[in-house]
Amino acid sequence: MKNLRYTLLGICISAMGWMGCQPDLLETIPNDRISKEIFWQTIEDATFAANAVYPSLDGTSLFSYDGLSDHVLTNHPFNANVELQRGFGTIASGRYFSEWQNAYRAIRRANDFMDNIDQVEESDQAAINRLKGEVMTLRAYQYIKLAMLFGDVPLITSGIDIDTGRSITRDPVSQIWDFVADDLSQAAEWLPYQNGGRVGKGAALGLKARAMLYAGRYEEAASAAKTIIDSQEFALYPDYFELFQYEGENSQEALLTREFAADVNAHNIYATAAPWSQIPGSTGSLYVPTQALIDLFPMANGLPISDPGSGYDPRNPFDNRDPRLYQSVFLSERTPLPDGGIYGSTPGTDGSDAVQITVYSTATGYNIRKYVDAEDYTNPSNSGLNIMLMRYAEVLLTYAEAKVELGQIDPSVFDALNEVRQRESVGLPPVTPEQAGTVDELREIVRTERSIELAFEGFRLFDIRRWQIAEQVMPGVPMGRYYEDNGEWLQIRLDGFDRSFDPNRDYLWPIPLREQELNTNLTQNPGY
């Protein structure tokens, strides 16, 4: 036993001596996570890191932006949007914080990629540059939203530590636009138009056109849009309704989509938008159209319903209208439902979705039809339908609007505008220079076309802000459909749901309270 003790002691002393000669022996690589020491080595690693930024793109949340506008009502009274729509939002409101947090989480992932990508030893520099272009485009997508929602925000372009995060300040929104423009220009140089379903040149240039339009930099907006148009890489899908159904996925109109797959990476846009009657055991009708939007759709002859010569009949308001109205909205007693029935919303009836038949049925008498695909009827929370984030029609309308704002009204403006209006399934008469009239009249035509074509795609909130018309269109009681009751013609009024908009405050959201508590250097927007 004595000899055994000496033997063990000797082994221990030898082992300690050997370990003492290897100071890095205890610096082991963790096996419960991916470590930087072994990760940034191959093009596959870089691709995985780029993939981690893609989930930050909007999905069903697109509807929620329109749900804060005059064209869409947030239909569930307990939804977080309601207090904002009514002007009751405070710096402690969760919606403000979640938008800020989600955007900067995505930016952090993108910055981590950009900080480390050059460690990858890869002979194919074009492949590295493509991934850089993808991530730069995805990061710009977030900064565009932040700039439109909050104005001045911290411009963070590389990884930061906790102490820095508690001391950063807001950068002028003009610097955000400069950064976005430069990054997207560089990304566009590196990216091909066709990139295997990933972010491509069209997305980079399209986002630059969008950002510059939002920023009021119309020359740059028109130039980026024109580059896409001249490339002939994209085209309008012939059927407007199918464009937002499974049939229209991955069409030549799509520049940027958030891709989903049933059972793997699904979403619930069907359950969010579809009429209550089409959501067995669920709620539905979270966001519903208002009459303000319905009234924008012209007659099939192209004339607005307010024109005495349009042929509009107030007692038959849905006859002979722009086909996009039927393709975008469930209308009363005339639109087929996914279950094979007929949509019926007339108050006081036993229609499928009569107003007030349940707390979840539409309050305005309308429901959104875009993205409601009958294929999802049996499993409404397991939709694999891709969500369109940018499409060619937006590019055409961006070009037309930017040229109008520049006063450069030439045939190309009417070509872009009329290409949208004359989609095969729409077929509205073209707008001519004689019909357009003055610059102000043409501006209204372009804005109306944009509001109709891009309805329910997340643009209206940002448009009424940059057009500085929110205080004109937001306040008051939301209005719904007209209907007949015992020979009397009535209109739905959502009394008690007055919306408000303070132009001295509400053109920007507040910096969230939790962010200011963590960093007192973050100044607050006026009025909060």
Side-chain angles (χ1 to χ4, degrees), residues 281-480:
S282 187
T283 56
S285 301
L286 178 54
Y287 304 105
V288 297
T290 65
Q291 191 65 39
L293 172 62
I294 304 303
D295 286 345
L296 284 184
F297 287 85
M299 301 298 288
N301 59 19
L303 296 176
I305 64 172
S306 59
D307 190 309
S310 69
Y312 176 70
D313 180 1
R315 295 277 178 158
N316 297 285
F318 309 128
D319 288 351
N320 302 316
R321 299 288 291 275
D322 181 337
R324 287 171 295 183
L325 176 58
Y326 318 122
Q327 296 162 355
S328 302
V329 181
F330 284 101
L331 303 169
S332 176
E333 285 79 42
R334 67 184 300 146
T335 312
L337 291 166
D339 68 357
I342 296 295
Y343 181 76
S345 65
T346 301
T349 70
D350 60 355
S352 62
D353 293 274
V355 172
Q356 296 183 340
I357 196 171
T358 76
V359 68
Y360 297 117
S361 63
T362 173
T364 63
Y366 301 112
N367 276 99
I368 297 171
R369 198 176 181 199
K370 275 184 179 178
Y371 291 112
V372 177
D373 193 306
E375 187 174 325
D376 291 329
Y377 173 70
T378 57
N379 200 351
S381 295
N382 188 35
S383 177
L385 190 60
N386 293 343
I387 305 300
M388 198 86 67
L389 301 179
M390 172 166 285
R391 55 191 180 90
Y392 187 54
E394 180 196 344
V395 174
L396 292 169
L397 293 171
T398 292
Y399 176 78
E401 182 178 347
K403 293 281 283 185
V404 169
E405 295 302 329
L406 290 167
Q408 299 173 2
I409 301 172
D410 55 36
S412 68
V413 174
F414 294 94
D415 290 343
L417 177 63
N418 289 326
E419 187 171 350
V420 175
R421 290 168 60 89
Q422 296 189 294
R423 185 193 299 265
E424 186 176 321
S425 70
V426 178
L428 293 183
V431 175
T432 66
E434 293 74 25
Q435 292 172 322
T438 66
V439 171
D440 288 341
E441 290 172 327
L442 181 56
R443 176 183 292 113
E444 288 306 310
I445 290 172
V446 171
R447 289 183 178 184
T448 298
E449 189 64 32
R450 179 181 174 89
S451 299
I452 292 168
E453 173 70 22
L454 303 179
F456 317 128
E457 296 179 48
F459 292 98
R460 182 64 178 177
L461 174 66
F462 302 117
D463 285 347
I464 62 176
R465 286 181 169 201
R466 64 189 182 86
W467 293 336
Q468 295 286 297
I469 62 170
E471 66 267 34
Q472 302 169 29
V473 301
M474 281 297 295
V477 176
M479 305 297 287

Side-chain angles (χ1 to χ4, degrees), residues 134-300:
E134 292 176 30
V135 172
M136 291 164 70
T137 301
L138 295 170
R139 181 171 60 182
Y141 181 92
Q142 300 298 331
Y143 271 119
I144 292 169
K145 286 201 305 180
L146 285 169
M148 290 302 292
L149 293 173
F150 299 100
D152 300 346
V153 294
L155 178 58
I156 304 171
T157 61
S158 61
I160 58 175
D161 57 25
I162 293 176
D163 289 338
T164 303
R166 289 175 174 167
S167 61
I168 57 175
T169 58
R170 299 168 68 187
D171 293 289
V173 71
S174 60
Q175 291 185 21
I176 306 300
W177 295 131
D178 289 341
F179 173 77
V180 165
D182 290 344
D183 253 24
L184 290 173
S185 294
Q186 179 60 77
E189 289 185 17
W190 283 334
L191 290 166
Y193 274 109
Q194 305 303 324
N195 196 20
R198 303 173 69 87
V199 165
K201 186 190 294 288
L205 289 172
L207 282 176
K208 181 178 180 181
R210 178 188 294 179
M212 296 301 94
L213 185 72
Y214 286 178
R217 301 180 181 183
Y218 300 119
E219 287 278 6
E220 294 176 81
S223 177
K226 189 64 162 57
T227 300
I228 297 172
I229 295 169
D230 289 345
S231 75
Q232 299 185 341
E233 291 283 342
F234 303 96
L236 298 182
Y237 187 75
D239 191 301
Y240 185 78
F241 175 70
E242 287 186 359
L243 180 62
F244 304 95
Q245 308 286 295
Y246 286 106
E247 294 93 332
E249 282 195 332
N250 304 314
S251 74
Q252 199 175 357
E253 184 161 347
L255 277 73
L256 179 64
T257 59
R258 174 74 188 275
E259 298 196 359
F260 293 92
D263 301 321
V264 178
N265 179 31
H267 60 78
N268 65 343
I269 200 165
Y270 179 101
T272 297
W276 166 80
S277 67
Q278 303 302 294
I279 317 293
S282 187
T283 56
S285 301
L286 178 54
Y287 304 105
V288 297
T290 65
Q291 191 65 39
L293 172 62
I294 304 303
D295 286 345
L296 284 184
F297 287 85
M299 301 298 288

Side-chain angles (χ1 to χ4, degrees), residues 491-526:
Q491 185 179 15
I492 294 172
R493 290 177 50 91
L494 277 74
D495 291 314
F497 194 91
D498 295 54
R499 295 177 304 201
S500 66
F501 189 92
D502 181 355
N504 297 315
R505 184 194 73 168
D506 294 334
Y507 273 107
L508 292 175
W509 281 1
I511 305 303
L513 174 62
R514 279 195 267 183
E515 293 300 318
Q516 286 197 302
E517 289 175 339
L518 291 170
N519 180 4
T520 57
N521 290 318
L522 292 175
T523 57
Q524 188 53 272
N525 281 325

